[in-house]
């Protein structure tokens, strides 16, 4: 594992920002009115987003994937000016109730430039518009569209799946569902998941969260999760793919998982990493002094974490074997499997 270099100055910078966060309201879902208001404010703040990307030399496209129920799922596509080495399927966060593909333009543009990838961001329906199953189906439809060659000029390029928070949950659930379509799953060469929710009934750290939790309203998280699936009991909520932590992971690609030590969802990430390691290479970073959502904050830690993500994606793309099978190094007595991992022969 490549460590993220965190010196005392970086940690103190994070602590200072956390003191500002402690004075702000925590995110909590109590009804459907507040998310709709927040969504409207989000869209208002995004006016002029396309012009910013164009000035940065990024080409913007829009396409649609067809979900099983006939819904057309909007896809926001960012391409670099030069050659494309791979494609990122990105699923945004927002607690399943707010957010859209444009909200990640900054992070996605940085990924486009640093990794020379195209990014396909999924504008899935929110919980105010459709039940959780609809969001799962939208993300699966987007994945199928991409993996079946829907993005012109990128039909044979390797794919990396990226998700944040609720988006990490949807990304992990999508990968589990793709196990039923191994030919498509083979095109996925890695997954980057930021502080996801992998147990919809709540891991121990979720149930232990108190009112001092930063960003999220700690005591309100279990109730918020129950609102997603009001007709289910906890046993049903824990069935995969609703709760990816309990799914069969065989066949999934290597993964990079990140979470903060101050995040009440940290047990979700550490538990998922421990299970995932049984089937593929996993790099886990549990960052000290980091709350939920830390990748978006103006801190040195966020910049270092983002740099590691970019490096990891580049490493995965460098290891992609030639089309048609494993790369062999006969002189060295090794071959590389489809993930680029060496084994003796």
């Amino acid at each position: 594992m490549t460590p993220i270099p965190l010196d005392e100055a970086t940690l103190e910078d994070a602590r200072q920002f956390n003191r500002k966060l402690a004075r702000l309201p925590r995110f909590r879902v109590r009804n459907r009115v507040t998310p709709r208001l927040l969504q409207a404010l989000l869209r208002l703040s995004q006016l002029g987003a396309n012009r910013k990307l164009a000035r940065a030399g990024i080409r913007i496209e829009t396409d649609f994937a067809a979900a099983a129920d006939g819904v057309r799922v909007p896809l926001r596509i960012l391409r670099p000016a030069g050659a494309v080495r791979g494609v990122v399927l990105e699923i945004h966060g927002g607690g399943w109730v707010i957010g859209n593909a444009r909200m990640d333009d900054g992070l996605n543009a940085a990924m486009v430039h640093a990794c020379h990838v195209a990014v396909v961001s999924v504008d899935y329906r929110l919980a105010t518009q459709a039940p959780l199953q609809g969001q799962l189906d939208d993300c699966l439809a987007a994945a199928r569209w991409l993996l079946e060659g829907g993005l012109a000029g990128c039909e044979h390029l390797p794919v990396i799946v990226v998700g944040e928070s609720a988006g990490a949950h949807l990304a992990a659930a999508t990968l589990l569902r793709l196990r039923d379509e191994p030919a498509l799953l083979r095109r996925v060469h890695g997954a980057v998941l930021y502080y996801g929710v992998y147990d919809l009934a709540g891991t121990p750290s979720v149930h232990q969260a108190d009112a001092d939790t930063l960003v999220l309203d700690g005591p309100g998280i279990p109730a918020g999760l129950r609102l997603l699936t009001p007709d289910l009991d906890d046993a049903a909520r824990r069935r995969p793919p609703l709760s990816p932590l309990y799914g069969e992971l065989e066949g999934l690609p290597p993964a990079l998982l990140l979470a903060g030590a101050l995040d009440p969802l940290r047990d979700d990430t550490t538990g998922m990493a421990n299970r995932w390691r049984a089937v593929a290479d996993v790099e886990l970073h549990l960052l000290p002094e980091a709350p939920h959502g830390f990748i978006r904050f103006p801190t040195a830690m966020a910049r270092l974490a983002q740099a590691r993500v970019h490096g990891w994606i580049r490493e995965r793309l460098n290891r992609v074997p030639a089309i048609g099978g494993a790369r062999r190094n006969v002189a060295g007595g090794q071959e590389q499997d489809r993930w680029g991992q060496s084994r003796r022969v």
Side-chain angles (χ1 to χ4, degrees):
M1 182 182 83
T2 301
I4 296 175
L6 302 176
D7 57 17
E8 182 57 32
T10 300
L11 295 176
E12 181 56 30
D13 176 58
R15 294 185 195 108
Q16 290 181 16
F17 189 78
N18 289 346
R19 286 193 280 272
K20 298 177 183 178
L21 288 175
R23 297 194 293 267
L24 297 177
R26 276 57 165 174
F27 180 79
R28 181 178 180 181
V29 178
R30 294 181 175 89
N31 53 54
R32 292 178 178 268
V33 176
T34 301
R36 288 192 174 101
L37 176 60
L38 293 174
Q39 185 72 359
L41 293 173
L42 173 66
R43 291 189 179 280
L44 185 63
S45 72
Q46 294 171 338
L47 295 176
N50 286 1
R51 289 193 297 272
K52 293 178 182 177
L53 291 174
R55 286 195 296 268
I58 293 176
R59 195 168 87 223
I60 307 155
E61 303 170 9
T62 299
D63 214 316
F64 297 87
D69 55 3
V71 171
R72 298 179 77 219
V73 183
L75 306 171
R76 182 171 175 81
I77 301 161
L78 308 184
R79 293 187 191 247
V84 177
R85 298 184 56 214
V87 184
V88 167
L89 178 69
E90 190 265 347
I91 305 177
H92 70 80
W96 301 274
V97 296
I98 62 171
N100 57 24
R102 289 192 180 202
M103 70 181 278
D104 289 339
D105 277 356
L107 291 170
N108 290 340
M111 199 156 36
V112 167
H113 287 308
C115 305
H116 306 288
V117 293
V119 176
V120 177
S121 191
V122 188
D123 246 334
Y124 57 86
R125 288 169 289 173
L126 301 175
T128 54
Q129 304 164 313
L132 181 57
Q133 186 61 50
Q135 298 171 62
L136 292 167
D137 290 345
D138 288 357
C139 294
L140 180 61
R144 283 173 172 159
W145 176 89
L146 176 59
L147 298 171
E148 289 172 352
L151 187 59
C154 301
E155 293 88 348
H156 302 294
L157 292 179
V159 172
I160 305 290
V161 176
V162 175
E164 180 194 14
S165 192
H169 164 260
L170 294 170
T174 298
L175 290 171
L176 287 182
R177 297 178 78 185
L178 284 172
R179 292 184 66 253
D180 294 332
E181 303 177 64
L184 298 183
L185 184 58
R186 278 194 289 272
R187 278 199 64 199
V188 181
H189 287 264
V192 178
L193 304 179
Y194 298 99
Y195 35 82
V197 185
Y198 308 120
D199 180 348
L200 290 190
T203 53
S205 60
V206 165
H207 288 286
Q208 294 163 9
D210 58 28
D212 291 331
T213 297
L214 300 175
V215 181
L216 302 175
D217 175 63
I221 296 174
L225 293 175
R226 288 193 293 271
L227 284 176
L228 289 172
T229 52
D231 299 327
L232 301 180
D233 59 17
D234 280 354
R237 291 187 182 98
R238 285 197 163 113
R239 294 182 192 131
L242 282 179
S243 288
L245 182 59
Y246 306 103
E248 173 54 62
L249 307 183
E250 185 68 37
L252 295 195
L256 170 61
L257 280 73
L258 303 96
L262 302 183
D263 190 340
L265 296 165
R266 60 189 176 274
D267 283 358
D268 290 68
T269 290
T270 56
M272 196 73 189
N274 289 337
R275 292 209 58 234
W276 206 313
R277 283 195 180 104
V279 301
D281 282 351
V282 170
E283 183 173 318
L284 169 66
H285 295 279
L286 186 65
L287 301 176
E289 308 296 344
H292 192 76
F294 69 85
I295 196 67
R296 297 180 172 276
F297 300 150
T299 63
M301 183 182 295
R303 293 189 292 273
L304 290 168
Q306 190 177 37
R308 177 59 201 137
V309 168
H310 294 165
W312 190 89
I313 291 174
R314 289 193 298 266
E315 291 164 12
R316 297 313 314 165
L317 297 180
N318 287 339
R319 296 179 184 183
V320 173
I323 296 174
R327 292 183 298 193
R328 297 185 64 85
N329 180 352
V330 178
Q334 293 182 332
E335 70 174 15
Q336 289 185 326
D337 62 20
R338 71 185 183 96
W339 307 125
Q341 299 169 14
S342 296
R343 60 179 183 266
R344 301 297 302 180
V345 294

